[in-house]
Amino acid sequence: MHEHGHGYISDKSKYQSRLRRIEGQVRGVQRMVEEENYCIDVLTQISAIRSSLQGVALALLDDHLNHCVRNAVDSNGNELEEKLAEVSEAIARLVR
């Protein structure tokens, strides 16, 4: 692990709450399929889940930039290049 901790730790309970809500949405979609709900309604819920997950991902990315990358900048060490590469790769994964 990194010696500075993770940027999201101060908001850990907020992230856990958001992820539990998303988990509930996924269970709701499973129920909708089990109950053979209208396909457009199922797709609408899937779209909402995807949007919620993207919101969590963007918030985590923001925390990473404002904590991990900022710490790397402040330390003037070799870690900065590593953190910038991580951010670039994370952004690339998010936009695929």
Side-chain angles (χ1 to χ4, degrees), residues 22-38:
I22 293 166
E23 182 180 26
Q25 288 176 297
V26 171
R27 283 193 303 271
V29 168
Q30 289 173 324
R31 242 184 337 273
M32 290 176 79
V33 170
E34 177 65 30
E35 295 169 0
E36 299 178 7
N37 286 50
Y38 187 55

Side-chain angles (χ1 to χ4, degrees), residues 17-74:
S17 176
R18 289 175 75 177
L19 290 168
R20 278 192 293 274
R21 193 166 39 253
I22 293 166
E23 182 180 26
Q25 288 176 297
V26 171
R27 283 193 303 271
V29 168
Q30 289 173 324
R31 242 184 337 273
M32 290 176 79
V33 170
E34 177 65 30
E35 295 169 0
E36 299 178 7
N37 286 50
Y38 187 55
C39 52
I40 296 301
D41 294 338
V42 175
L43 290 169
T44 299
Q45 291 305 310
I46 290 171
S47 178
I49 293 166
R50 186 172 165 199
S51 178
S52 296
L53 280 171
Q54 285 176 330
V56 170
L58 290 173
L60 284 167
L61 182 61
D62 188 57
D63 284 343
H64 182 69
L65 287 167
N66 287 306
H67 182 267
C68 300
V69 175
R70 185 180 305 270
N71 284 341
V73 168
D74 292 344

Side-chain angles (χ1 to χ4, degrees), residues 2-15:
H2 302 282
E3 69 243 21
H4 300 295
H6 302 294
Y8 65 86
I9 295 300
S10 63
D11 290 324
K12 181 178 174 180
S13 63
K14 177 183 79 172
Y15 283 111

